[in-house]
Amino acid sequence: MCWFGEPKPSDKELGQGYRLFRLVNAERQKHNLPRLMPLEALDNAAWKRARDMAKPNHKKGDQDTGGLYPNDRAKKAGYTSPISEARADNARSAKAVVGGWMTNPEDRKKLLRRDFTVTGVAFHRNHYVQVFGHDSRK
């Protein structure tokens, strides 16, 4: 995964992203929801955001340091349908992130939306990002 000159994630970063992916799908399974399928364009959008979050001047809201919002980042990565994004700053582990998201009503709603079918995940320097979307190929 290499997007707009961003370096490829390390094995540790890929492993943490995969843990997040598995844990979110486990939560969805508990609620009788279909598994999210990975989508490379959304992985790229998540990776771009996670790297941006590690910058000292990163913004806490939806807008990144380049002025892009989640849907803008997804579009630049090649995904044109609307998306939703969940983020965690300075998190201890993927398990702690998912636990926090499940107790936050806004993030919980994103994780458990039935119409979300595809996802992208990223981890960089204790910043986790998951992007949720709809499979537009159906």
Side-chain angles (χ1 to χ4, degrees):
M1 170 181 5
C2 206
W3 186 60
F4 292 102
E6 296 286 343
K8 183 180 180 202
S10 69
D11 288 344
K12 176 187 176 187
E13 289 167 329
L14 290 171
Q16 288 297 321
Y18 182 67
R19 281 184 192 84
L20 182 66
F21 172 78
R22 282 192 354 246
L23 289 166
V24 167
N25 270 330
E27 286 296 331
R28 290 176 61 85
Q29 186 176 15
K30 289 178 194 175
H31 293 86
N32 296 316
L33 294 169
R35 285 176 27 101
L36 297 169
M37 300 306 294
L39 190 65
E40 186 176 15
L42 295 182
D43 278 340
N44 289 339
W47 175 240
K48 177 73 173 168
R49 180 58 166 156
R51 288 190 49 83
D52 186 76
M53 289 169 64
K55 294 178 181 175
N57 62 336
H58 101 277
K59 299 176 182 181
K60 295 282 184 192
D62 286 340
Q63 193 176 28
D64 64 23
T65 56
L68 297 177
Y69 288 92
N71 282 306
D72 301 324
R73 286 188 293 277
K75 216 174 259 186
K76 278 195 153 219
Y79 184 80
T80 56
S81 296
I83 59 111
S84 193
E85 181 181 85
R87 300 177 303 273
D89 275 319
N90 300 313
R92 295 183 323 270
S93 67
K95 186 175 181 178
V97 168
V98 174
W101 286 347
M102 290 303 289
T103 60
N104 176 305
E106 187 178 323
D107 288 327
R108 179 184 174 90
K109 194 164 118 178
K110 293 173 190 175
L111 270 63
L112 300 180
R113 270 186 58 178
R114 180 171 292 281
D115 60 326
F116 284 150
T117 57
V118 292
T119 192
V121 295
F123 167 82
H124 182 66
R125 294 188 186 160
N126 295 333
H127 302 286
Y128 290 83
V129 177
Q130 185 155 11
V131 178
F132 303 91
H134 315 271
D135 188 351
S136 57
R137 296 172 294 175
K138 291 183 179 181

